[in-house]
Amino acid sequence: MRSKAIRIDRNGGPEELKIVDVEVGEPGPGEIRIRHYAVGLNFIDTYQRSGLYPLSLPLQLGMEAAGVVEAVGEGVTHLKAGDRAAYASQPPGAYCELRVMPAKSVCKLPDAISFETGAAMMLKGLTAQYLLKKTLPAEGLQPGDFILFHAAAGGVGLIACQWAKALGLQLIGTAGTDAKCRLALDHGAAHAINYSTENFAERVKEITGGKGVKVVYDSVGKDTFEGSLNCLRPFGLLAIFGNGSGPVPPVNLGVLASKGSLYITRPTLFTHIATRESTQAMADDLFAAVTSGAVKIPIEQRYALADVQQAHRDLEARKTTGCTILTL
């Protein structure tokens, strides 16, 4: 069977993304073949394309999608041919019409959730889930607590704004423009800070009456690292889950002592979805949040598969908000 797919033969800019025809065979043990209806785009895709996250080449990109299962391999019991399904998964390869892949990270998609929503929400929604439910400060999070979320108008950010509000948390969001700050507030952020015009650490101290926040969720990295530490109250946690501005430089651990016995972690989704059981439990939590209406998945940009180069340019130029998908 033939499938159109997006591949890179070498690391570099968006111009390295090429449409190719690939042969797709039958699923082996523990695998499925899935026909995609929509594919999600994520910042991690640009890191893999550029080589910031090095992977072997040639490489088919893409970490999340939704579609219909066409065939299942031996030992796969949670899915069958004809099931609607969605996933966020290693290895990359979602930018295509059809693929064979490991079944363990693929989940049945509830009928109430469209393919486009499923493709847009899996990686970003599961990321918001493990951050807000599993990546917690030493003292835990209780309703009324302040948290800081950078890039709050992005795909993960807008989901986190809504979910945090549903959990009773006061999310302070940062973004780079006034329009993006308004978007974060519209999606449930309690406060929003434009970090291109304001010192976000000073504003966080004002908002929290000088106390600081229990946790900072930071996907920006290098540019926000020092300010993020300055936002934390004693025993606070800095969770760096991405590096949109570049990797954080080496850290003098003594700084964590002087700022109040702070914690730093560098989590990744793929540790959390390493087993079938944990993937399904997290997905069930996400599906429940979406089907209840507590979390709406904001798809703000759609591109055809052939326009993937432009999609990457817009993503890297910070022109996108919310979720972005490729339509098939």
Side-chain angles (χ1 to χ4, degrees):
M1 250 173 268
R2 306 292 285 172
S3 167
K4 298 263 185 244
I6 304 296
R7 191 176 74 197
I8 60 168
D9 294 315
R10 60 182 183 183
N11 295 120
E15 69 283 353
E16 297 298 338
L17 297 162
K18 304 285 194 299
I19 290 198
V20 294
D21 279 314
V22 295
E23 190 66 37
V24 180
E26 294 300 318
E31 293 182 332
I32 62 157
R33 187 173 70 235
I34 184 168
R35 183 167 295 278
H36 292 153
Y37 282 65
V39 176
L41 266 78
N42 294 282
F43 231 89
I44 191 173
D45 305 347
T46 69
Y47 301 157
Q48 293 173 352
R49 190 206 69 229
S50 69
L52 178 65
Y53 291 179
L55 293 166
S56 1
L57 299 168
L59 174 67
Q60 198 171 302
L61 288 173
M63 304 299 287
E64 67 177 342
V68 172
V69 176
E70 283 196 347
V72 302
E74 187 188 336
V76 176
T77 55
H78 69 287
L79 295 166
K80 63 183 188 303
D83 281 347
R84 303 169 78 253
Y87 65 86
S89 170
Q90 298 273 36
Y95 288 8
C96 64
E97 297 169 324
L98 190 65
R99 75 182 289 202
V100 168
M101 63 177 295
K104 70 173 185 178
S105 299
V106 184
C107 299
K108 276 183 75 166
L109 187 64
D111 290 339
I113 299 175
S114 72
F115 289 121
E116 289 198 350
T117 299
M121 78 178 191
M122 290 300 282
L123 191 139
K124 292 169 278 282
L126 291 174
T127 298
Q129 198 278 347
Y130 87 71
L131 290 172
L132 293 173
K133 299 290 189 79
K134 296 182 166 192
T135 312
L136 301 175
E139 298 174 326
L141 286 175
Q142 285 82 38
D145 282 345
F146 285 102
I147 66 174
L148 179 65
F149 209 103
H150 288 305
V156 179
L158 290 183
I159 294 171
C161 286
Q162 299 172 75
W163 211 333
K165 184 178 182 181
L167 294 170
L169 302 171
Q170 298 197 66
L171 184 145
I172 304 168
T174 71
T177 68
D178 288 343
K180 286 184 175 183
C181 285
R182 279 195 299 276
L183 199 58
L185 292 168
D186 290 345
H187 283 77
H191 303 271
I193 302 166
N194 181 342
Y195 54 51
S196 61
T197 58
E198 296 183 277
N199 180 315
F200 71 83
E202 288 176 4
R203 282 283 293 124
V204 165
K205 284 292 169 70
E206 284 172 22
I207 291 165
T208 59
K211 288 180 179 173
V213 296
K214 277 188 171 181
V215 60
V216 178
Y217 297 112
D218 187 344
S219 62
V220 178
K222 178 169 68 74
D223 291 354
T224 48
F225 175 70
E226 198 170 328
S228 292
L229 286 179
N230 292 335
C231 292
L232 289 168
R233 57 193 269 180
F235 310 111
L237 170 68
L238 170 54
I240 300 170
F241 66 100
N243 29 249
S245 65
V248 172
V251 180
N252 171 7
L253 293 179
V255 169
L256 304 182
S258 63
K259 290 183 183 292
S261 301
L262 302 181
Y263 296 78
I264 295 184
T265 184
R266 178 58 177 90
T268 172
L269 172 63
F270 301 106
T271 320
H272 289 85
I273 59 171
T275 69
R276 167 89 218 108
E277 294 72 26
S278 62
T279 304
Q280 192 64 56
M282 290 170 64
D284 288 345
D285 195 23
L286 172 62
F287 294 155
V290 172
T291 53
S292 74
V295 173
K296 293 181 171 58
I297 306 299
I299 302 172
E300 304 293 347
Q301 298 80 213
R302 290 173 173 81
Y303 299 85
L305 192 65
D307 297 328
V308 68
Q309 290 188 1
Q310 190 57 49
H312 270 235
R313 287 189 193 99
D314 291 348
L315 207 57
E316 290 184 303
R318 303 287 196 280
K319 289 183 178 172
T320 64
T321 55
C323 301
T324 303
I325 60 168
L326 299 173
T327 56
L328 296 165

